[in-house]
Amino acid sequence: MSVAKISRYPVPEIKDLHADIREAILAVQEKAGFVPNVFLALAHRPDEFRAFFAYHDALMEKEGGLSKAEREMIVVATSNANNCQYCVVAHGAILRIRAKNPLIADQVAINYRKADISERQKAMLDFAMTVAANSGSIGEAHFETLHGHGFSDEDIWDIAAITALFALSNRMANFTAMRPNDEFYAMGRDLA
Amino acid sequence: MSVAKISRYPVPEIKDLHADIREAILAVQEKAGFVPNVFLALAHRPDEFRAFFAYHDALMEKEGGLSKAEREMIVVATSNANNCQYCVVAHGAILRIRAKNPLIADQVAINYRKADISERQKAMLDFAMTVAANSGSIGEAHFETLHGHGFSDEDIWDIAAITALFALSNRMANFTAMRPNDEFYAMGRDLA
Amino acid sequence: MSVAKISRYPVPEIKDLHADIREAILAVQEKAGFVPNVFLALAHRPDEFRAFFAYHDALMEKEGGLSKAEREMIVVATSNANNCQYCVVAHGAILRIRAKNPLIADQVAINYRKADISERQKAMLDFAMTVAANSGSIGEAHFETLHGHGFSDEDIWDIAAITALFALSNRMANFTAMRPNDEFYAMGRDLA
Amino acid sequence: MSVAKISRYPVPEIKDLHADIREAILAVQEKAGFVPNVFLALAHRPDEFRAFFAYHDALMEKEGGLSKAEREMIVVATSNANNCQYCVVAHGAILRIRAKNPLIADQVAINYRKADISERQKAMLDFAMTVAANSGSIGEAHFETLHGHGFSDEDIWDIAAITALFALSNRMANFTAMRPNDEFYAMGRDLA
Amino acid sequence: MSVAKISRYPVPEIKDLHADIREAILAVQEKAGFVPNVFLALAHRPDEFRAFFAYHDALMEKEGGLSKAEREMIVVATSNANNCQYCVVAHGAILRIRAKNPLIADQVAINYRKADISERQKAMLDFAMTVAANSGSIGEAHFETLHGHGFSDEDIWDIAAITALFALSNRMANFTAMRPNDEFYAMGRDLA
Amino acid sequence: MSVAKISRYPVPEIKDLHADIREAILAVQEKAGFVPNVFLALAHRPDEFRAFFAYHDALMEKEGGLSKAEREMIVVATSNANNCQYCVVAHGAILRIRAKNPLIADQVAINYRKADISERQKAMLDFAMTVAANSGSIGEAHFETLHGHGFSDEDIWDIAAITALFALSNRMANFTAMRPNDEFYAMGRDLA
């Protein structure tokens, strides 16, 4: 395991954190077996930590029209377009697990148009890439295309909002030089 | 005043909102004299509303090395690059007020390099524009340039994090077709 | 009023100008109440001054299928894409006045797709943006789309030629660091 | 000689033109041996014709710090970047003649960095390409670089203004589908 | 004739080359009347030389659904987009000769949409430009469009493979600063 | 193992191939334990197959100043920029093995600036990315920077030529929809 720095900024000791943050971190550690570095890197700014994970959970953990694997596809595809190492590696692992598919994360990251996903999912990612790169151009035609693939207006909000949240997250990870945990790289690669 | 739609999505009645959201909205109404549409548009999703404004306040309302006007400059410059009508118009108004300068918002939005701001502020906006458009390229050299202008590492986090939050916000406003309140356009234009 | 430089280049005294140029400037001063800086900045080169304003008047002052407000929309939208502070601010003021609409200039500058204008006007601006950014791609399909919105071939010439003239004008203003007069920023904001 | 259309728009008969335009055209025909199509295509709009050629002559025919060949280099390099067939072909011919060099026009059009020109001329074209593509970024550093190559502020105005005029001209030629005269292609190719 | 360097790298003497390479070069010299510089520049690396010309001949010399002039159009259009002086000048000459058309090479290089070629050829070049600039976006729709113009799947392979080979070739010529022979510039310009 | 199509084009049976191609394929199968799909997909065109692998071996298998892992880094970084699924996945596997590092391929693919590689290797990849995306801009300054990191002119040829070969290869894989073998995804991920 590497001992490389996980952020360009100071990383607090878990024991020194506010109780709510410490508990959130210990809970994810219990579940994942390790502490994903994003929790430690963002804990440098407790209020921003709380807001970020509240936003994250509101979009990624709730019930809704998009499957959890589909939400991770959005993260992985747009994060590679933004050259965000942390988000592609960490959410790639989660995508493999949620989709129970060891190939899908690399496929979606590099070129979702060639991935083993449905036409509906490709349309979802077409829209996410537009939100990521050129949101000013969004108009009625985008909604009609997505409606044609069976997405509701609330599903479209989810696609766009997840893309928007990771537009934030990618930029945070990039300027802090946030390092993905070594554990993520191989997770979920031995499925099926 | 126009009666145009303020969002492509349903906008709740204030009376129907959760108490915490309703109170937040009434507080801003009391202060501003009207309810900025972003509050109504985002209230369609209460959990996201709470997370967004928690994040916003953590960055925009706290004490710190950047003046409040400087924070608004970051929002205005990067939001015009993202073609976000709501953010340029609303935060342009706030910038005029905070900077006590009726010209500065339009200058910064259209071309901050020609604005009546300091070289230090131009360096701040150079970096913000890189975070907005090409965050994957950020490296040591950017930090050195900003240190040379007197920005601390914590100031740099603030610049980048504000840019990142409005990367999110611009995309939300663009896909929801969020409409700036008519009141914002002329606010702060009659300052000395 | 600011006393900032209005051009990186020498600005002649009005009294030292050739009679025709001096008269043109005094006429606009009489009408507008002040001398727009573009007249003073370009007077540094009298022959270019004469050619520029002859071109300008040939397109902007004549009768034709485009309303005068529509012509200003073209200027404002393409000038923001070119980061031209002078043109967005000065022609934004004229647009507000000609359209009798205090909101329209900022809307069109930041994102004309979300402006309070007709579908026909949005098609006009789609074409103008293509002329501004990628004129080599123009072909039959663009003419057909515009004909479908009721534009004649002569109207299309007007849209393209106005865009082309401000492609020139934006570049002149940008390299000379031409400064918009302070008066323009608030003009036309109290209409209706 | 081809009989292809020279413009998407109606082209007037020389005999039907206003006297001043007809005389200008006959003069160039006498000098060149043929009428360059730009004169016929723009004659569709007499006032714009007059303004365009007044502007052209003010920049391209006057005395000044840039040689006439250098002015044509600016036209050729920026017009290829704008995919303007008329301007590259016609001004390429003029460049070959003015530089007395049969190779230079193609070299400058395709990649001026590899052309048989001086470092000073490459710096001139670096700046012209910035004016053509990204004039909003121009600042003090560009002027310093050019001063270092011996260009005066008035020379810099000439470089930028020629680029700006052909930003206009390229767009006019592109939307009108202006066709270069067949004669231009081989002109000046047999120079020593 | 110029005596400028033909490559940034050492250029071997023909007499010092391996027999197969020397014979290939003498054969082309016999046919063309001079040795195109690409043969000398690439001979610096004999194994790469052999592979390059084997690839070149496999695509450019074989029988197939694309005429030899059409193959050169692909080279010329995509090489100008890549600012490759050697490829535009040398293959422009070959295109003029193969198409028996003195105008076509400059037209296709600068803007193939305005060239004197068929709609089918324009569709071929649209696809080639996509392969050159954005091959990751290629999908079923591109194949359907080309089928509609009568191209078979094998023709489409040829279009894409020629574009791909010159993606390689353009980059080789650009980093080695490969100089086109002076002879190419005027070749084929006096055809009927 | 998936039974998805490995190319949009017909894939020959190994038994039907020319002897030299069949032997090359059986040799790689013996070494790797499976036949990488690029061999089968390109075998559709035997002459191009032979030229491609001759080129590949001339650059990737020879001795030279770049380590074999460094050559694979060039492939992986530029292939992700070109959205080439086959090349990132297959050469990512080879990179992990050659570098004996299970993390390096994903790091280099997503953002080589943040990878666990040396400053010299980052300079190598900066140059490769310029060759991949903007080879027309290459000039003396690029060579000086690389010399400063200890690269010889022959090393620089290798960097550029590998990038150029995969510019070709990425485009071939993209238009044929070449599918990476499932085996590649997990290869080399369990290295110490």
Side-chain angles (χ1 to χ4, degrees), chain D residues 85-119:
Chain D
Q85 213 170 75
Y86 187 88
C87 298
V88 176
V89 171
H91 287 272
I94 304 173
L95 172 52
R96 284 188 294 272
I97 291 167
R98 294 210 160 156
K100 300 193 197 325
N101 180 333
L103 310 185
I104 195 170
D106 296 330
Q107 291 175 347
V108 166
I110 305 165
N111 193 339
Y112 68 90
R113 296 174 201 83
K114 306 279 172 68
D116 296 334
I117 59 177
S118 67
E119 287 306 305

mmCIF file of all heavy atoms in Angstrom, chain D residues 85-119:
data_model
loop_
_atom_site.group_PDB
_atom_site.id
_atom_site.type_symbol
_atom_site.label_atom_id
_atom_site.label_comp_id
_atom_site.label_asym_id
_atom_site.label_seq_id
_atom_site.Cartn_x
_atom_site.Cartn_y
_atom_site.Cartn_z
ATOM 1 N N GLN D 85 -11.971 30.250 -48.335
ATOM 2 C CA GLN D 85 -11.366 29.899 -49.613
ATOM 3 C C GLN D 85 -10.999 31.144 -50.432
ATOM 4 O O GLN D 85 -9.911 31.222 -51.002
ATOM 5 C CB GLN D 85 -12.378 29.053 -50.389
ATOM 6 C CG GLN D 85 -11.772 28.022 -51.259
ATOM 7 C CD GLN D 85 -12.854 27.087 -51.772
ATOM 8 O OE1 GLN D 85 -13.616 27.469 -52.655
ATOM 9 N NE2 GLN D 85 -12.932 25.899 -51.209
ATOM 10 N N TYR D 86 -11.914 32.085 -50.518
ATOM 11 C CA TYR D 86 -11.640 33.263 -51.338
ATOM 12 C C TYR D 86 -10.375 33.986 -50.862
ATOM 13 O O TYR D 86 -9.483 34.314 -51.650
ATOM 14 C CB TYR D 86 -12.821 34.250 -51.342
ATOM 15 C CG TYR D 86 -12.541 35.353 -52.339
ATOM 16 C CD1 TYR D 86 -12.908 35.201 -53.670
ATOM 17 C CD2 TYR D 86 -11.834 36.499 -51.989
ATOM 18 C CE1 TYR D 86 -12.592 36.172 -54.616
ATOM 19 C CE2 TYR D 86 -11.505 37.463 -52.920
ATOM 20 C CZ TYR D 86 -11.893 37.302 -54.232
ATOM 21 O OH TYR D 86 -11.562 38.241 -55.168
ATOM 22 N N CYS D 87 -10.314 34.231 -49.554
ATOM 23 C CA CYS D 87 -9.216 35.078 -49.057
ATOM 24 C C CYS D 87 -7.871 34.374 -49.127
ATOM 25 O O CYS D 87 -6.850 35.013 -49.414
ATOM 26 C CB CYS D 87 -9.507 35.536 -47.631
ATOM 27 S SG CYS D 87 -11.003 36.548 -47.533
ATOM 28 N N VAL D 88 -7.825 33.081 -48.867
ATOM 29 C CA VAL D 88 -6.538 32.379 -48.941
ATOM 30 C C VAL D 88 -6.047 32.335 -50.384
ATOM 31 O O VAL D 88 -4.870 32.584 -50.662
ATOM 32 C CB VAL D 88 -6.638 30.955 -48.363
ATOM 33 C CG1 VAL D 88 -5.310 30.215 -48.537
ATOM 34 C CG2 VAL D 88 -7.033 30.988 -46.894
ATOM 35 N N VAL D 89 -6.959 32.041 -51.303
ATOM 36 C CA VAL D 89 -6.537 31.889 -52.700
ATOM 37 C C VAL D 89 -6.164 33.252 -53.298
ATOM 38 O O VAL D 89 -5.100 33.400 -53.915
ATOM 39 C CB VAL D 89 -7.635 31.187 -53.514
ATOM 40 C CG1 VAL D 89 -7.299 31.227 -55.002
ATOM 41 C CG2 VAL D 89 -7.803 29.745 -53.039
ATOM 42 N N ALA D 90 -7.003 34.253 -53.118
ATOM 43 C CA ALA D 90 -6.739 35.555 -53.737
ATOM 44 C C ALA D 90 -5.551 36.252 -53.075
ATOM 45 O O ALA D 90 -4.640 36.729 -53.747
ATOM 46 C CB ALA D 90 -7.996 36.435 -53.648
ATOM 47 N N HIS D 91 -5.546 36.298 -51.769
ATOM 48 C CA HIS D 91 -4.438 36.982 -51.092
ATOM 49 C C HIS D 91 -3.168 36.132 -51.097
ATOM 50 O O HIS D 91 -2.070 36.678 -50.975
ATOM 51 C CB HIS D 91 -4.853 37.418 -49.687
ATOM 52 C CG HIS D 91 -5.800 38.570 -49.734
ATOM 53 N ND1 HIS D 91 -5.390 39.876 -49.757
ATOM 54 C CD2 HIS D 91 -7.150 38.602 -49.844
ATOM 55 C CE1 HIS D 91 -6.445 40.673 -49.850
ATOM 56 N NE2 HIS D 91 -7.531 39.922 -49.899
ATOM 57 N N GLY D 92 -3.295 34.831 -51.239
ATOM 58 C CA GLY D 92 -2.109 34.002 -51.452
ATOM 59 C C GLY D 92 -1.393 34.423 -52.729
ATOM 60 O O GLY D 92 -0.154 34.537 -52.759
ATOM 61 N N ALA D 93 -2.167 34.674 -53.786
ATOM 62 C CA ALA D 93 -1.568 35.133 -55.047
ATOM 63 C C ALA D 93 -0.852 36.470 -54.852
ATOM 64 O O ALA D 93 0.281 36.661 -55.299
ATOM 65 C CB ALA D 93 -2.656 35.258 -56.116
ATOM 66 N N ILE D 94 -1.514 37.388 -54.170
ATOM 67 C CA ILE D 94 -0.913 38.703 -53.945
ATOM 68 C C ILE D 94 0.351 38.564 -53.086
ATOM 69 O O ILE D 94 1.361 39.220 -53.332
ATOM 70 C CB ILE D 94 -1.937 39.648 -53.278
ATOM 71 C CG1 ILE D 94 -3.215 39.739 -54.146
ATOM 72 C CG2 ILE D 94 -1.336 41.024 -53.061
ATOM 73 C CD1 ILE D 94 -4.352 40.514 -53.485
ATOM 74 N N LEU D 95 0.300 37.695 -52.086
ATOM 75 C CA LEU D 95 1.473 37.484 -51.232
ATOM 76 C C LEU D 95 2.654 36.954 -52.055
ATOM 77 O O LEU D 95 3.786 37.437 -51.905
ATOM 78 C CB LEU D 95 1.119 36.509 -50.097
ATOM 79 C CG LEU D 95 2.284 36.025 -49.217
ATOM 80 C CD1 LEU D 95 3.115 37.162 -48.652
ATOM 81 C CD2 LEU D 95 1.758 35.150 -48.084
ATOM 82 N N ARG D 96 2.394 35.975 -52.912
ATOM 83 C CA ARG D 96 3.500 35.448 -53.732
ATOM 84 C C ARG D 96 4.146 36.568 -54.548
ATOM 85 O O ARG D 96 5.368 36.652 -54.657
ATOM 86 C CB ARG D 96 2.990 34.355 -54.685
ATOM 87 C CG ARG D 96 2.730 33.020 -53.991
ATOM 88 C CD ARG D 96 2.423 31.892 -54.976
ATOM 89 N NE ARG D 96 1.171 32.080 -55.705
ATOM 90 C CZ ARG D 96 -0.034 31.685 -55.293
ATOM 91 N NH1 ARG D 96 -0.178 31.059 -54.127
ATOM 92 N NH2 ARG D 96 -1.102 31.902 -56.030
ATOM 93 N N ILE D 97 3.288 37.425 -55.102
ATOM 94 C CA ILE D 97 3.800 38.498 -55.947
ATOM 95 C C ILE D 97 4.541 39.543 -55.116
ATOM 96 O O ILE D 97 5.646 39.962 -55.470
ATOM 97 C CB ILE D 97 2.629 39.127 -56.729
ATOM 98 C CG1 ILE D 97 2.132 38.109 -57.761
ATOM 99 C CG2 ILE D 97 3.049 40.440 -57.379
ATOM 100 C CD1 ILE D 97 0.803 38.468 -58.393
ATOM 101 N N ARG D 98 3.936 39.930 -53.997
ATOM 102 C CA ARG D 98 4.570 40.989 -53.199
ATOM 103 C C ARG D 98 5.857 40.504 -52.539
ATOM 104 O O ARG D 98 6.793 41.274 -52.373
ATOM 105 C CB ARG D 98 3.582 41.514 -52.154
ATOM 106 C CG ARG D 98 2.414 42.209 -52.853
ATOM 107 C CD ARG D 98 1.791 43.321 -52.038
ATOM 108 N NE ARG D 98 1.047 44.192 -52.949
ATOM 109 C CZ ARG D 98 0.026 44.965 -52.584
ATOM 110 N NH1 ARG D 98 -0.374 44.981 -51.330
ATOM 111 N NH2 ARG D 98 -0.576 45.735 -53.471
ATOM 112 N N ALA D 99 5.902 39.226 -52.165
ATOM 113 C CA ALA D 99 7.121 38.692 -51.541
ATOM 114 C C ALA D 99 8.086 38.159 -52.585
ATOM 115 O O ALA D 99 9.200 37.765 -52.240
ATOM 116 C CB ALA D 99 6.746 37.569 -50.571
ATOM 117 N N LYS D 100 7.654 38.159 -53.844
ATOM 118 C CA LYS D 100 8.466 37.556 -54.915
ATOM 119 C C LYS D 100 8.933 36.165 -54.492
ATOM 120 O O LYS D 100 10.120 35.836 -54.568
ATOM 121 C CB LYS D 100 9.678 38.438 -55.249
ATOM 122 C CG LYS D 100 9.321 39.841 -55.722
ATOM 123 C CD LYS D 100 10.521 40.546 -56.317
ATOM 124 C CE LYS D 100 10.316 42.068 -56.412
ATOM 125 N NZ LYS D 100 8.925 42.507 -56.711
ATOM 126 N N ASN D 101 8.006 35.368 -54.044
ATOM 127 C CA ASN D 101 8.342 34.043 -53.512
ATOM 128 C C ASN D 101 7.188 33.096 -53.830
ATOM 129 O O ASN D 101 6.081 33.257 -53.302
ATOM 130 C CB ASN D 101 8.546 34.158 -51.989
ATOM 131 C CG ASN D 101 8.890 32.825 -51.352
ATOM 132 O OD1 ASN D 101 8.527 31.759 -51.845
ATOM 133 N ND2 ASN D 101 9.595 32.885 -50.239
ATOM 134 N N PRO D 102 7.419 32.096 -54.662
ATOM 135 C CA PRO D 102 6.312 31.240 -55.104
ATOM 136 C C PRO D 102 5.847 30.240 -54.045
ATOM 137 O O PRO D 102 4.793 29.614 -54.223
ATOM 138 C CB PRO D 102 6.913 30.497 -56.299
ATOM 139 C CG PRO D 102 8.375 30.473 -56.057
ATOM 140 C CD PRO D 102 8.691 31.753 -55.322
ATOM 141 N N LEU D 103 6.597 30.065 -52.980
ATOM 142 C CA LEU D 103 6.266 29.032 -51.985
ATOM 143 C C LEU D 103 5.567 29.597 -50.760
ATOM 144 O O LEU D 103 4.914 28.868 -50.007
ATOM 145 C CB LEU D 103 7.555 28.332 -51.519
ATOM 146 C CG LEU D 103 8.518 27.826 -52.590
ATOM 147 C CD1 LEU D 103 9.665 27.053 -51.944
ATOM 148 C CD2 LEU D 103 7.804 26.957 -53.624
ATOM 149 N N ILE D 104 5.742 30.879 -50.539
ATOM 150 C CA ILE D 104 5.437 31.430 -49.221
ATOM 151 C C ILE D 104 3.956 31.375 -48.859
ATOM 152 O O ILE D 104 3.599 31.177 -47.692
ATOM 153 C CB ILE D 104 5.979 32.878 -49.138
ATOM 154 C CG1 ILE D 104 6.009 33.340 -47.697
ATOM 155 C CG2 ILE D 104 5.153 33.802 -50.012
ATOM 156 C CD1 ILE D 104 6.759 34.640 -47.522
ATOM 157 N N ALA D 105 3.089 31.530 -49.835
ATOM 158 C CA ALA D 105 1.661 31.618 -49.500
ATOM 159 C C ALA D 105 1.150 30.297 -48.956
ATOM 160 O O ALA D 105 0.451 30.266 -47.931
ATOM 161 C CB ALA D 105 0.856 32.038 -50.729
ATOM 162 N N ASP D 106 1.487 29.194 -49.616
ATOM 163 C CA ASP D 106 1.024 27.900 -49.105
ATOM 164 C C ASP D 106 1.643 27.612 -47.743
ATOM 165 O O ASP D 106 0.968 27.086 -46.847
ATOM 166 C CB ASP D 106 1.385 26.781 -50.094
ATOM 167 C CG ASP D 106 0.662 26.943 -51.428
ATOM 168 O OD1 ASP D 106 -0.460 27.491 -51.438
ATOM 169 O OD2 ASP D 106 1.213 26.534 -52.467
ATOM 170 N N GLN D 107 2.909 27.951 -47.591
ATOM 171 C CA GLN D 107 3.559 27.719 -46.293
ATOM 172 C C GLN D 107 2.857 28.478 -45.170
ATOM 173 O O GLN D 107 2.586 27.920 -44.096
ATOM 174 C CB GLN D 107 5.028 28.177 -46.356
ATOM 175 C CG GLN D 107 5.910 27.309 -47.237
ATOM 176 C CD GLN D 107 7.321 27.871 -47.361
ATOM 177 O OE1 GLN D 107 7.587 29.019 -46.984
ATOM 178 N NE2 GLN D 107 8.226 27.060 -47.886
ATOM 179 N N VAL D 108 2.592 29.757 -45.419
ATOM 180 C CA VAL D 108 1.974 30.583 -44.378
ATOM 181 C C VAL D 108 0.537 30.134 -44.108
ATOM 182 O O VAL D 108 0.084 30.109 -42.957
ATOM 183 C CB VAL D 108 2.032 32.070 -44.780
ATOM 184 C CG1 VAL D 108 1.107 32.918 -43.922
ATOM 185 C CG2 VAL D 108 3.468 32.575 -44.682
ATOM 186 N N ALA D 109 -0.164 29.744 -45.145
ATOM 187 C CA ALA D 109 -1.554 29.317 -44.953
ATOM 188 C C ALA D 109 -1.625 28.065 -44.090
ATOM 189 O O ALA D 109 -2.430 27.981 -43.167
ATOM 190 C CB ALA D 109 -2.222 29.056 -46.305
ATOM 191 N N ILE D 110 -0.795 27.097 -44.393
ATOM 192 C CA ILE D 110 -0.928 25.787 -43.733
ATOM 193 C C ILE D 110 -0.323 25.799 -42.333
ATOM 194 O O ILE D 110 -0.901 25.283 -41.386
ATOM 195 C CB ILE D 110 -0.273 24.675 -44.579
ATOM 196 C CG1 ILE D 110 -0.864 24.673 -45.985
ATOM 197 C CG2 ILE D 110 -0.470 23.311 -43.923
ATOM 198 C CD1 ILE D 110 -0.046 23.867 -46.995
ATOM 199 N N ASN D 111 0.865 26.380 -42.197
ATOM 200 C CA ASN D 111 1.506 26.431 -40.883
ATOM 201 C C ASN D 111 2.633 27.460 -40.913
ATOM 202 O O ASN D 111 3.780 27.131 -41.243
ATOM 203 C CB ASN D 111 2.047 25.051 -40.484
ATOM 204 C CG ASN D 111 2.423 25.006 -39.006
ATOM 205 O OD1 ASN D 111 2.658 26.034 -38.384
ATOM 206 N ND2 ASN D 111 2.485 23.806 -38.447
ATOM 207 N N TYR D 112 2.295 28.680 -40.512
ATOM 208 C CA TYR D 112 3.276 29.767 -40.630
ATOM 209 C C TYR D 112 4.508 29.512 -39.765
ATOM 210 O O TYR D 112 5.568 30.079 -40.009
ATOM 211 C CB TYR D 112 2.627 31.106 -40.253
ATOM 212 C CG TYR D 112 2.270 31.202 -38.788
ATOM 213 C CD1 TYR D 112 3.173 31.696 -37.850
ATOM 214 C CD2 TYR D 112 1.039 30.764 -38.312
ATOM 215 C CE1 TYR D 112 2.853 31.768 -36.500
ATOM 216 C CE2 TYR D 112 0.709 30.835 -36.977
ATOM 217 C CZ TYR D 112 1.620 31.332 -36.080
ATOM 218 O OH TYR D 112 1.299 31.392 -34.745
ATOM 219 N N ARG D 113 4.370 28.671 -38.737
ATOM 220 C CA ARG D 113 5.538 28.393 -37.875
ATOM 221 C C ARG D 113 6.660 27.697 -38.651
ATOM 222 O O ARG D 113 7.812 27.713 -38.236
ATOM 223 C CB ARG D 113 5.137 27.502 -36.704
ATOM 224 C CG ARG D 113 4.136 28.124 -35.753
ATOM 225 C CD ARG D 113 3.707 27.096 -34.708
ATOM 226 N NE ARG D 113 2.431 27.452 -34.102
ATOM 227 C CZ ARG D 113 1.255 27.176 -34.644
ATOM 228 N NH1 ARG D 113 1.175 26.550 -35.808
ATOM 229 N NH2 ARG D 113 0.147 27.523 -34.028
ATOM 230 N N LYS D 114 6.302 27.045 -39.758
ATOM 231 C CA LYS D 114 7.285 26.311 -40.561
ATOM 232 C C LYS D 114 7.584 27.043 -41.869
ATOM 233 O O LYS D 114 8.181 26.452 -42.774
ATOM 234 C CB LYS D 114 6.742 24.908 -40.888
ATOM 235 C CG LYS D 114 6.312 24.083 -39.693
ATOM 236 C CD LYS D 114 7.472 23.426 -38.997
ATOM 237 C CE LYS D 114 7.049 22.774 -37.684
ATOM 238 N NZ LYS D 114 6.183 21.603 -37.835
ATOM 239 N N ALA D 115 7.145 28.293 -42.003
ATOM 240 C CA ALA D 115 7.338 29.007 -43.265
ATOM 241 C C ALA D 115 8.728 29.642 -43.338
ATOM 242 O O ALA D 115 9.387 29.850 -42.317
ATOM 243 C CB ALA D 115 6.259 30.084 -43.417
ATOM 244 N N ASP D 116 9.148 29.955 -44.565
ATOM 245 C CA ASP D 116 10.452 30.604 -44.796
ATOM 246 C C ASP D 116 10.339 32.105 -44.516
ATOM 247 O O ASP D 116 10.477 32.936 -45.435
ATOM 248 C CB ASP D 116 10.900 30.370 -46.242
ATOM 249 C CG ASP D 116 11.156 28.905 -46.545
ATOM 250 O OD1 ASP D 116 11.468 28.141 -45.608
ATOM 251 O OD2 ASP D 116 11.032 28.515 -47.720
ATOM 252 N N ILE D 117 10.070 32.449 -43.299
ATOM 253 C CA ILE D 117 9.916 33.849 -42.889
ATOM 254 C C ILE D 117 10.757 34.067 -41.630
ATOM 255 O O ILE D 117 11.231 33.113 -41.015
ATOM 256 C CB ILE D 117 8.431 34.220 -42.637
ATOM 257 C CG1 ILE D 117 7.822 33.323 -41.536
ATOM 258 C CG2 ILE D 117 7.628 34.084 -43.932
ATOM 259 C CD1 ILE D 117 6.377 33.667 -41.182
ATOM 260 N N SER D 118 10.908 35.329 -41.250
ATOM 261 C CA SER D 118 11.780 35.644 -40.107
ATOM 262 C C SER D 118 11.077 35.366 -38.777
ATOM 263 O O SER D 118 9.850 35.248 -38.717
ATOM 264 C CB SER D 118 12.158 37.126 -40.171
ATOM 265 O OG SER D 118 11.005 37.933 -39.948
ATOM 266 N N GLU D 119 11.885 35.315 -37.709
ATOM 267 C CA GLU D 119 11.303 35.146 -36.374
ATOM 268 C C GLU D 119 10.366 36.316 -36.055
ATOM 269 O O GLU D 119 9.340 36.133 -35.394
ATOM 270 C CB GLU D 119 12.408 35.061 -35.312
ATOM 271 C CG GLU D 119 13.177 33.748 -35.333
ATOM 272 C CD GLU D 119 12.272 32.529 -35.237
ATOM 273 O OE1 GLU D 119 11.481 32.441 -34.279
ATOM 274 O OE2 GLU D 119 12.336 31.666 -36.141
#
